[in-house]
Amino acid sequence: MSEPILRVENLHKHFGGLKAVNGVSFQVAPGEILGILGPNGAGKTVCFNMISGVYKPTAGKIVFDGQRTDGLPPHRLAALGLGRTFQIVKPFASLTVLENVLVARGIANYGRFGRIWGPWRSKDQVRAAMEVLDKVGLADLAGRKAGLLPLGNLRRLEIARALVVGRKLILLDESFSGLRHAEITRLEDLIRAIRQMGITVLLIEHNLRVSMKLCDRIVVLEHGRKIAEGKPEQIQSDLRVIEAYLGRKRRNNAAGG
Amino acid sequence: MSGYLITIATIIVINAIVVCGLNVIVGYAGQISLGHAAFFGIGAYSAALLATKAGLSFWAALPLVVTISSVVGLLLGLPSLRVKDDFLAITTIGINFIVEAVFLYIPFFGGALGIGGIPRICLFGLRLKGFSFFLLCLAFLVLVMTACWWFTRCWAGLACFALREDEEAAASVGISPVRFKLLAFVAGTAMAGLGGALYAHYMRFISASDFSFPVSITLLSMLVLGGMGKLWAPLLGAVILGALPEIFRPLVEYRILFYTAILLLMIRFQPSGLLGDESLARKVLAKVVPGGGR
């Protein structure tokens, strides 16, 4: 494995007595799609929020692109090239779809006081933003208010923003939840296309079938601990994973077996 | 123009400058402020003190006044921007009462007697009063509105819009919430300070009650009426709420009731204000003038 783009070591997050994440370690290699899987309350989103800077880990180490990043705030991580989406979509509702992407394009300017005074509606910026919208299939809706879009398109809009910011890695937080079947298929195609661009993806997924199809490798969490890691085929046949999802087989219930 | 009309017009323009500052904080960055009169007052008091006690001219004092207002804005903004929404509203009300009390009870600020004897502004050897002072205020309004217009078109403004819409999402695309909220707060309070300086040199006598909490409500009413986040809203709101009480002079006792009613009616029927995107005024305008709805 080449130098990982993201390395998480022995990560802990405790909320009072609740150990939401309890000693999780994994690595993401450049160019791969790594899925984090697990039943509800397994600690996936908490893990994600620590990686993207929303939570500060109780203990442990996060190394992103060769730099310790645990405890850095979200906007600093974004500046380092980490883009993310949200499980509950967060569009800039009263701005247009195009403006939503332009906000993300400002990533190159927000950090320097001298550069925040430049105009954002320039031709170059709009063209670059339209290219991104084209990639996610929202170019037709560029002038529409983001707050008026249906969920599937909002998920694409968040992916567009994440693509602009996430030069090195993008985190997708349950992008498939709440979508209809046809939308799921189209979103799968989009994520495959993103992989084709050579962008590294870390995704949280609840839906087993989707993640089996998309991911190169999968890490399974349960009760804040990693219970399995490997290729989708390996995960599918892992007994502990099956138990976590379907429950333990009741051995004494012979009549039913 | 008669002196009466000029007086009303001058006050309207000064109010519009102050409301422009409020628009940056509330309309652009989405940080509710119910204490904007405090910063209006800080500008007025620092201009008055620099003129009467330090003997500085308006022009020499102006950079200091704007700096003082924005530095105080920064200091008061730092703790208050750590709270959100309703809590921010309450905090800014508190700031308004504290600042008013400081003006009222500390002898240095003139106490209950206020500060009088503030000199007129001189420009090119001319002492500005009446119409010429109105023109000066108008020139400052143009300056402030140009600054606001530019703010909506630069990255800093876009970052503030994003913060207004969703703070967490804004942070995820590299916008530091604290930094850009403070920027909006500093810019907004600087404009309030400028308005205050003009007010002090126009009235030539100021007292703490000129900058009390009801004034903050009036300023916010102007903004809400015009349409939060719209460039022309402060001027439109200041004109309407500045002119109506004069037209309905006999009802002056009921002014606050009237403002409250306007605020409630706007929130119920036209939450985005007269200039808002979906507003009635725009729909009518779009029908009368083709393309006028833009």
Side-chain angles (χ1 to χ4, degrees), chain A residues 147-199:
Chain A
L148 303 175
L149 298 187
L151 185 63
N153 284 341
L154 286 178
R155 288 261 158 76
R156 285 165 181 275
L157 179 58
E158 288 212 331
I159 291 175
R161 285 195 318 220
L163 276 175
V164 172
V165 172
R167 307 184 309 278
K168 304 214 173 86
L169 173 66
I170 67 175
L171 310 183
L172 303 179
D173 193 352
E174 299 211 9
S175 291
F176 293 94
S177 67
L179 295 189
R180 284 176 290 117
H181 215 75
E183 288 174 317
I184 289 181
T185 319
R186 284 172 54 208
L187 204 57
E188 278 175 2
D189 294 341
L190 173 59
I191 292 172
R192 278 199 203 96
I194 289 171
R195 192 236 303 262
Q196 294 296 312
M197 299 171 208
I199 294 165

Short mmCIF file of all heavy atoms in Angstrom, two decimals, chain A residues 147-199:
data_model
loop_
_atom_site.label_atom_id
_atom_site.label_comp_id
_atom_site.label_asym_id
_atom_site.label_seq_id
_atom_site.Cartn_x
_atom_site.Cartn_y
_atom_site.Cartn_z
N GLY A 147 -32.95 25.90 -2.34
CA GLY A 147 -33.97 25.45 -1.41
C GLY A 147 -35.16 24.78 -2.08
O GLY A 147 -35.95 24.10 -1.42
N LEU A 148 -35.30 24.96 -3.40
CA LEU A 148 -36.44 24.39 -4.10
C LEU A 148 -36.17 23.01 -4.69
O LEU A 148 -37.05 22.39 -5.26
CB LEU A 148 -36.87 25.34 -5.23
CG LEU A 148 -37.23 26.76 -4.81
CD1 LEU A 148 -37.52 27.63 -6.03
CD2 LEU A 148 -38.43 26.75 -3.87
N LEU A 149 -34.91 22.53 -4.57
CA LEU A 149 -34.57 21.25 -5.20
C LEU A 149 -35.07 20.07 -4.36
O LEU A 149 -35.12 20.15 -3.14
CB LEU A 149 -33.06 21.13 -5.35
CG LEU A 149 -32.34 22.14 -6.23
CD1 LEU A 149 -30.88 21.74 -6.38
CD2 LEU A 149 -32.99 22.25 -7.58
N PRO A 150 -35.40 18.95 -5.02
CA PRO A 150 -35.73 17.73 -4.28
C PRO A 150 -34.45 17.08 -3.72
O PRO A 150 -33.34 17.43 -4.13
CB PRO A 150 -36.37 16.83 -5.34
CG PRO A 150 -35.82 17.32 -6.63
CD PRO A 150 -35.57 18.78 -6.46
N LEU A 151 -34.64 16.17 -2.79
CA LEU A 151 -33.52 15.60 -2.04
C LEU A 151 -32.40 15.03 -2.91
O LEU A 151 -31.22 15.29 -2.68
CB LEU A 151 -34.05 14.50 -1.10
CG LEU A 151 -32.99 13.89 -0.18
CD1 LEU A 151 -32.43 14.93 0.76
CD2 LEU A 151 -33.57 12.72 0.60
N GLY A 152 -32.79 14.30 -3.96
CA GLY A 152 -31.77 13.68 -4.82
C GLY A 152 -30.84 14.72 -5.41
O GLY A 152 -29.61 14.54 -5.42
N ASN A 153 -31.42 15.82 -5.87
CA ASN A 153 -30.59 16.87 -6.46
C ASN A 153 -29.77 17.61 -5.41
O ASN A 153 -28.65 18.04 -5.69
CB ASN A 153 -31.47 17.87 -7.22
CG ASN A 153 -31.93 17.31 -8.55
OD1 ASN A 153 -31.33 16.35 -9.06
ND2 ASN A 153 -32.98 17.87 -9.10
N LEU A 154 -30.33 17.74 -4.21
CA LEU A 154 -29.57 18.38 -3.13
C LEU A 154 -28.33 17.56 -2.78
O LEU A 154 -27.26 18.08 -2.52
CB LEU A 154 -30.43 18.56 -1.89
CG LEU A 154 -31.47 19.67 -1.97
CD1 LEU A 154 -32.31 19.73 -0.70
CD2 LEU A 154 -30.81 21.03 -2.21
N ARG A 155 -28.49 16.22 -2.82
CA ARG A 155 -27.34 15.36 -2.55
C ARG A 155 -26.27 15.58 -3.62
O ARG A 155 -25.08 15.66 -3.32
CB ARG A 155 -27.79 13.88 -2.56
CG ARG A 155 -28.60 13.52 -1.35
CD ARG A 155 -27.72 12.82 -0.33
NE ARG A 155 -28.28 12.91 1.02
CZ ARG A 155 -29.31 12.18 1.46
NH1 ARG A 155 -29.89 11.32 0.66
NH2 ARG A 155 -29.73 12.31 2.69
N ARG A 156 -26.70 15.73 -4.87
CA ARG A 156 -25.74 16.00 -5.95
C ARG A 156 -25.07 17.35 -5.76
O ARG A 156 -23.88 17.51 -6.01
CB ARG A 156 -26.46 16.02 -7.30
CG ARG A 156 -26.82 14.67 -7.77
CD ARG A 156 -27.82 14.70 -8.90
NE ARG A 156 -28.08 13.32 -9.21
CZ ARG A 156 -27.32 12.62 -10.05
NH1 ARG A 156 -26.34 13.18 -10.69
NH2 ARG A 156 -27.56 11.34 -10.24
N LEU A 157 -25.87 18.32 -5.31
CA LEU A 157 -25.33 19.66 -5.08
C LEU A 157 -24.25 19.60 -4.00
O LEU A 157 -23.18 20.21 -4.14
CB LEU A 157 -26.45 20.62 -4.67
CG LEU A 157 -26.03 22.06 -4.38
CD1 LEU A 157 -25.35 22.67 -5.60
CD2 LEU A 157 -27.22 22.90 -3.99
N GLU A 158 -24.51 18.85 -2.94
CA GLU A 158 -23.50 18.73 -1.89
C GLU A 158 -22.26 18.03 -2.42
O GLU A 158 -21.13 18.38 -2.06
CB GLU A 158 -24.08 17.95 -0.70
CG GLU A 158 -25.08 18.76 0.08
CD GLU A 158 -25.08 18.42 1.56
OE1 GLU A 158 -24.74 17.27 1.89
OE2 GLU A 158 -25.40 19.31 2.38
N ILE A 159 -22.46 17.05 -3.28
CA ILE A 159 -21.30 16.36 -3.87
C ILE A 159 -20.51 17.34 -4.73
O ILE A 159 -19.28 17.35 -4.72
CB ILE A 159 -21.75 15.12 -4.66
CG1 ILE A 159 -22.27 14.06 -3.69
CG2 ILE A 159 -20.59 14.56 -5.49
CD1 ILE A 159 -22.85 12.83 -4.33
N ALA A 160 -21.24 18.23 -5.46
CA ALA A 160 -20.55 19.22 -6.29
C ALA A 160 -19.68 20.12 -5.42
O ALA A 160 -18.51 20.38 -5.74
CB ALA A 160 -21.57 20.07 -7.05
N ARG A 161 -20.22 20.59 -4.31
CA ARG A 161 -19.44 21.44 -3.39
C ARG A 161 -18.24 20.66 -2.85
O ARG A 161 -17.12 21.18 -2.79
CB ARG A 161 -20.31 21.89 -2.20
CG ARG A 161 -21.31 22.96 -2.54
CD ARG A 161 -21.90 23.64 -1.31
NE ARG A 161 -22.23 22.75 -0.21
CZ ARG A 161 -23.31 22.87 0.55
NH1 ARG A 161 -24.18 23.84 0.32
NH2 ARG A 161 -23.55 22.05 1.54
N ALA A 162 -18.48 19.40 -2.47
CA ALA A 162 -17.40 18.59 -1.91
C ALA A 162 -16.31 18.35 -2.95
O ALA A 162 -15.13 18.31 -2.63
CB ALA A 162 -17.95 17.27 -1.40
N LEU A 163 -16.73 18.22 -4.23
CA LEU A 163 -15.74 17.99 -5.30
C LEU A 163 -14.81 19.19 -5.46
O LEU A 163 -13.63 19.04 -5.73
CB LEU A 163 -16.45 17.74 -6.63
CG LEU A 163 -16.92 16.32 -6.91
CD1 LEU A 163 -17.71 16.29 -8.21
CD2 LEU A 163 -15.75 15.38 -6.97
N VAL A 164 -15.40 20.39 -5.31
CA VAL A 164 -14.59 21.61 -5.45
C VAL A 164 -13.57 21.70 -4.32
O VAL A 164 -12.40 22.01 -4.53
CB VAL A 164 -15.50 22.86 -5.45
CG1 VAL A 164 -14.66 24.13 -5.41
CG2 VAL A 164 -16.40 22.86 -6.66
N VAL A 165 -14.06 21.43 -3.10
CA VAL A 165 -13.20 21.58 -1.93
C VAL A 165 -12.24 20.41 -1.78
O VAL A 165 -11.07 20.59 -1.46
CB VAL A 165 -14.09 21.71 -0.66
CG1 VAL A 165 -13.24 21.68 0.59
CG2 VAL A 165 -14.89 23.00 -0.73
N GLY A 166 -12.75 19.19 -2.05
CA GLY A 166 -11.99 17.99 -1.77
C GLY A 166 -11.00 17.61 -2.86
O GLY A 166 -11.20 16.65 -3.57
N ARG A 167 -9.92 18.35 -2.94
CA ARG A 167 -8.91 18.01 -3.94
C ARG A 167 -8.26 16.68 -3.59
O ARG A 167 -7.86 15.93 -4.47
CB ARG A 167 -7.82 19.09 -3.98
CG ARG A 167 -8.32 20.50 -4.17
CD ARG A 167 -7.15 21.46 -4.30
NE ARG A 167 -6.17 21.32 -3.24
CZ ARG A 167 -6.29 21.87 -2.03
NH1 ARG A 167 -7.34 22.60 -1.73
NH2 ARG A 167 -5.36 21.70 -1.11
N LYS A 168 -8.16 16.36 -2.30
CA LYS A 168 -7.43 15.16 -1.88
C LYS A 168 -8.35 14.03 -1.44
O LYS A 168 -8.05 12.86 -1.65
CB LYS A 168 -6.49 15.52 -0.74
CG LYS A 168 -5.55 16.67 -1.10
CD LYS A 168 -4.21 16.51 -0.44
CE LYS A 168 -3.24 17.55 -0.94
NZ LYS A 168 -3.36 18.81 -0.17
N LEU A 169 -9.45 14.40 -0.81
CA LEU A 169 -10.32 13.37 -0.26
C LEU A 169 -11.74 13.93 -0.11
O LEU A 169 -11.90 15.08 0.28
CB LEU A 169 -9.80 12.95 1.13
CG LEU A 169 -10.64 11.99 1.96
CD1 LEU A 169 -10.72 10.61 1.30
CD2 LEU A 169 -10.07 11.84 3.37
N ILE A 170 -12.74 13.13 -0.48
CA ILE A 170 -14.08 13.58 -0.13
C ILE A 170 -14.79 12.55 0.74
O ILE A 170 -14.60 11.34 0.59
CB ILE A 170 -14.96 13.97 -1.35
CG1 ILE A 170 -15.30 12.79 -2.22
CG2 ILE A 170 -14.29 15.02 -2.20
CD1 ILE A 170 -16.27 13.19 -3.33
N LEU A 171 -15.54 13.06 1.69
CA LEU A 171 -16.28 12.23 2.62
C LEU A 171 -17.76 12.33 2.26
O LEU A 171 -18.30 13.41 2.20
CB LEU A 171 -16.12 12.72 4.06
CG LEU A 171 -14.73 13.00 4.62
CD1 LEU A 171 -14.84 13.40 6.09
CD2 LEU A 171 -13.83 11.80 4.49
N LEU A 172 -18.38 11.18 2.00
CA LEU A 172 -19.81 11.18 1.68
C LEU A 172 -20.57 10.52 2.82
O LEU A 172 -20.35 9.36 3.13
CB LEU A 172 -20.06 10.41 0.37
CG LEU A 172 -19.31 10.89 -0.86
CD1 LEU A 172 -19.66 10.01 -2.06
CD2 LEU A 172 -19.64 12.34 -1.17
N ASP A 173 -21.45 11.29 3.45
CA ASP A 173 -22.16 10.80 4.63
C ASP A 173 -23.56 10.33 4.23
O ASP A 173 -24.46 11.14 4.07
CB ASP A 173 -22.22 11.90 5.69
CG ASP A 173 -22.67 11.39 7.03
OD1 ASP A 173 -23.07 10.21 7.09
OD2 ASP A 173 -22.61 12.14 8.02
N GLU A 174 -23.71 9.03 4.08
CA GLU A 174 -25.00 8.41 3.74
C GLU A 174 -25.71 9.13 2.60
O GLU A 174 -26.87 9.54 2.74
CB GLU A 174 -25.90 8.34 4.99
CG GLU A 174 -25.26 7.49 6.06
CD GLU A 174 -26.26 6.76 6.94
OE1 GLU A 174 -27.46 6.76 6.61
OE2 GLU A 174 -25.83 6.16 7.92
N SER A 175 -25.01 9.27 1.51
CA SER A 175 -25.59 9.99 0.38
C SER A 175 -26.78 9.28 -0.23
O SER A 175 -27.54 9.88 -0.97
CB SER A 175 -24.52 10.18 -0.71
OG SER A 175 -23.56 11.09 -0.27
N PHE A 176 -26.96 8.01 0.09
CA PHE A 176 -28.04 7.25 -0.56
C PHE A 176 -29.31 7.19 0.27
O PHE A 176 -30.34 6.75 -0.22
CB PHE A 176 -27.57 5.82 -0.86
CG PHE A 176 -26.49 5.77 -1.89
CD1 PHE A 176 -25.16 5.76 -1.53
CD2 PHE A 176 -26.81 5.78 -3.24
CE1 PHE A 176 -24.17 5.73 -2.48
CE2 PHE A 176 -25.83 5.74 -4.20
CZ PHE A 176 -24.50 5.73 -3.83
N SER A 177 -29.23 7.63 1.53
CA SER A 177 -30.41 7.41 2.38
C SER A 177 -31.55 8.32 1.93
O SER A 177 -31.35 9.46 1.56
CB SER A 177 -30.07 7.67 3.85
OG SER A 177 -29.78 9.02 4.06
N GLY A 178 -32.74 7.77 1.96
CA GLY A 178 -33.93 8.53 1.62
C GLY A 178 -34.17 8.71 0.13
O GLY A 178 -35.07 9.43 -0.27
N LEU A 179 -33.34 8.06 -0.70
CA LEU A 179 -33.52 8.22 -2.15
C LEU A 179 -34.35 7.08 -2.73
O LEU A 179 -34.38 5.98 -2.19
CB LEU A 179 -32.16 8.25 -2.85
CG LEU A 179 -31.25 9.43 -2.52
CD1 LEU A 179 -30.06 9.42 -3.45
CD2 LEU A 179 -32.01 10.73 -2.65
N ARG A 180 -34.98 7.37 -3.88
CA ARG A 180 -35.72 6.33 -4.57
C ARG A 180 -34.76 5.46 -5.37
O ARG A 180 -33.60 5.82 -5.59
CB ARG A 180 -36.76 6.96 -5.50
CG ARG A 180 -37.96 7.49 -4.77
CD ARG A 180 -38.91 8.18 -5.70
NE ARG A 180 -38.36 9.42 -6.19
CZ ARG A 180 -38.08 9.68 -7.46
NH1 ARG A 180 -38.30 8.77 -8.39
NH2 ARG A 180 -37.57 10.85 -7.81
N HIS A 181 -35.26 4.32 -5.83
CA HIS A 181 -34.41 3.34 -6.49
C HIS A 181 -33.66 3.91 -7.69
O HIS A 181 -32.45 3.76 -7.82
CB HIS A 181 -35.27 2.16 -6.93
CG HIS A 181 -34.53 0.88 -6.82
ND1 HIS A 181 -34.30 0.27 -5.61
CD2 HIS A 181 -33.92 0.14 -7.77
CE1 HIS A 181 -33.60 -0.81 -5.82
NE2 HIS A 181 -33.34 -0.92 -7.10
N ALA A 182 -34.40 4.63 -8.54
CA ALA A 182 -33.78 5.16 -9.77
C ALA A 182 -32.69 6.16 -9.42
O ALA A 182 -31.63 6.20 -10.05
CB ALA A 182 -34.85 5.82 -10.63
N GLU A 183 -32.96 6.96 -8.37
CA GLU A 183 -31.98 7.96 -7.96
C GLU A 183 -30.72 7.29 -7.42
O GLU A 183 -29.60 7.77 -7.64
CB GLU A 183 -32.58 8.88 -6.88
CG GLU A 183 -33.64 9.84 -7.42
CD GLU A 183 -34.30 10.62 -6.30
OE1 GLU A 183 -34.61 10.03 -5.25
OE2 GLU A 183 -34.50 11.82 -6.50
N ILE A 184 -30.91 6.18 -6.70
CA ILE A 184 -29.76 5.47 -6.16
C ILE A 184 -28.85 5.01 -7.28
O ILE A 184 -27.63 5.19 -7.24
CB ILE A 184 -30.23 4.26 -5.30
CG1 ILE A 184 -30.85 4.78 -4.00
CG2 ILE A 184 -29.09 3.31 -5.02
CD1 ILE A 184 -31.34 3.72 -3.07
N THR A 185 -29.45 4.44 -8.33
CA THR A 185 -28.64 3.95 -9.46
C THR A 185 -27.85 5.09 -10.09
O THR A 185 -26.67 4.95 -10.39
CB THR A 185 -29.57 3.32 -10.52
OG1 THR A 185 -30.55 2.56 -9.86
CG2 THR A 185 -28.79 2.45 -11.47
N ARG A 186 -28.52 6.25 -10.26
CA ARG A 186 -27.83 7.38 -10.89
C ARG A 186 -26.71 7.91 -10.02
O ARG A 186 -25.64 8.28 -10.51
CB ARG A 186 -28.84 8.51 -11.19
CG ARG A 186 -29.71 8.20 -12.40
CD ARG A 186 -30.82 9.21 -12.56
NE ARG A 186 -30.29 10.58 -12.60
CZ ARG A 186 -30.98 11.65 -12.20
NH1 ARG A 186 -32.19 11.50 -11.73
NH2 ARG A 186 -30.45 12.84 -12.28
N LEU A 187 -26.93 7.89 -8.72
CA LEU A 187 -25.90 8.38 -7.80
C LEU A 187 -24.70 7.43 -7.77
O LEU A 187 -23.55 7.86 -7.68
CB LEU A 187 -26.50 8.55 -6.40
CG LEU A 187 -25.78 9.55 -5.49
CD1 LEU A 187 -25.71 10.91 -6.13
CD2 LEU A 187 -26.48 9.64 -4.14
N GLU A 188 -25.01 6.11 -7.88
CA GLU A 188 -23.91 5.14 -7.96
C GLU A 188 -23.02 5.43 -9.16
O GLU A 188 -21.80 5.41 -9.06
CB GLU A 188 -24.48 3.72 -8.09
CG GLU A 188 -24.91 3.10 -6.80
CD GLU A 188 -25.59 1.75 -7.03
OE1 GLU A 188 -25.67 1.29 -8.20
OE2 GLU A 188 -26.02 1.16 -6.05
N ASP A 189 -23.67 5.72 -10.29
CA ASP A 189 -22.91 6.04 -11.50
C ASP A 189 -22.03 7.26 -11.27
O ASP A 189 -20.88 7.29 -11.69
CB ASP A 189 -23.85 6.31 -12.68
CG ASP A 189 -24.61 5.06 -13.08
OD1 ASP A 189 -24.14 3.96 -12.70
OD2 ASP A 189 -25.65 5.18 -13.75
N LEU A 190 -22.60 8.26 -10.58
CA LEU A 190 -21.84 9.49 -10.32
C LEU A 190 -20.61 9.19 -9.47
O LEU A 190 -19.51 9.67 -9.76
CB LEU A 190 -22.75 10.51 -9.62
CG LEU A 190 -22.05 11.79 -9.14
CD1 LEU A 190 -21.40 12.52 -10.29
CD2 LEU A 190 -23.03 12.69 -8.42
N ILE A 191 -20.80 8.38 -8.43
CA ILE A 191 -19.66 8.10 -7.55
C ILE A 191 -18.59 7.29 -8.28
O ILE A 191 -17.40 7.51 -8.10
CB ILE A 191 -20.15 7.41 -6.26
CG1 ILE A 191 -20.97 8.42 -5.45
CG2 ILE A 191 -18.97 6.91 -5.42
CD1 ILE A 191 -21.68 7.86 -4.26
N ARG A 192 -19.03 6.39 -9.17
CA ARG A 192 -18.04 5.66 -9.98
C ARG A 192 -17.28 6.64 -10.88
O ARG A 192 -16.07 6.53 -11.06
CB ARG A 192 -18.72 4.59 -10.84
CG ARG A 192 -18.97 3.35 -10.06
CD ARG A 192 -19.21 2.15 -10.95
NE ARG A 192 -19.96 1.19 -10.15
CZ ARG A 192 -21.28 1.08 -10.18
NH1 ARG A 192 -22.00 1.83 -10.99
NH2 ARG A 192 -21.88 0.22 -9.40
N ALA A 193 -18.01 7.61 -11.43
CA ALA A 193 -17.36 8.61 -12.29
C ALA A 193 -16.35 9.41 -11.49
O ALA A 193 -15.26 9.75 -11.99
CB ALA A 193 -18.41 9.54 -12.91
N ILE A 194 -16.68 9.70 -10.24
CA ILE A 194 -15.76 10.45 -9.39
C ILE A 194 -14.50 9.63 -9.17
O ILE A 194 -13.38 10.15 -9.22
CB ILE A 194 -16.43 10.79 -8.04
CG1 ILE A 194 -17.51 11.84 -8.25
CG2 ILE A 194 -15.41 11.27 -7.02
CD1 ILE A 194 -18.38 12.09 -7.03
N ARG A 195 -14.65 8.32 -8.97
CA ARG A 195 -13.48 7.47 -8.80
C ARG A 195 -12.61 7.51 -10.07
O ARG A 195 -11.39 7.55 -10.00
CB ARG A 195 -13.90 6.04 -8.47
CG ARG A 195 -12.74 5.19 -7.99
CD ARG A 195 -12.56 3.93 -8.83
NE ARG A 195 -13.75 3.12 -8.85
CZ ARG A 195 -13.92 2.07 -8.06
NH1 ARG A 195 -13.03 1.76 -7.17
NH2 ARG A 195 -15.01 1.35 -8.18
N GLN A 196 -13.30 7.54 -11.22
CA GLN A 196 -12.57 7.60 -12.49
C GLN A 196 -11.69 8.85 -12.58
O GLN A 196 -10.66 8.86 -13.23
CB GLN A 196 -13.53 7.59 -13.69
CG GLN A 196 -14.30 6.31 -13.86
CD GLN A 196 -13.40 5.13 -14.17
OE1 GLN A 196 -12.54 5.23 -15.04
NE2 GLN A 196 -13.56 4.04 -13.44
N MET A 197 -12.15 9.93 -11.90
CA MET A 197 -11.36 11.16 -11.91
C MET A 197 -10.12 11.04 -11.03
O MET A 197 -9.32 11.96 -10.96
CB MET A 197 -12.20 12.34 -11.40
CG MET A 197 -13.44 12.67 -12.19
SD MET A 197 -14.42 13.91 -11.25
CE MET A 197 -16.06 13.56 -11.81
N GLY A 198 -10.02 9.94 -10.30
CA GLY A 198 -8.85 9.75 -9.46
C GLY A 198 -8.99 10.36 -8.07
O GLY A 198 -8.01 10.56 -7.37
N ILE A 199 -10.24 10.65 -7.69
CA ILE A 199 -10.45 11.26 -6.37
C ILE A 199 -10.71 10.17 -5.34
O ILE A 199 -11.42 9.20 -5.60
CB ILE A 199 -11.64 12.24 -6.42
CG1 ILE A 199 -11.28 13.41 -7.34
CG2 ILE A 199 -12.01 12.74 -5.04
CD1 ILE A 199 -12.45 14.23 -7.76
#
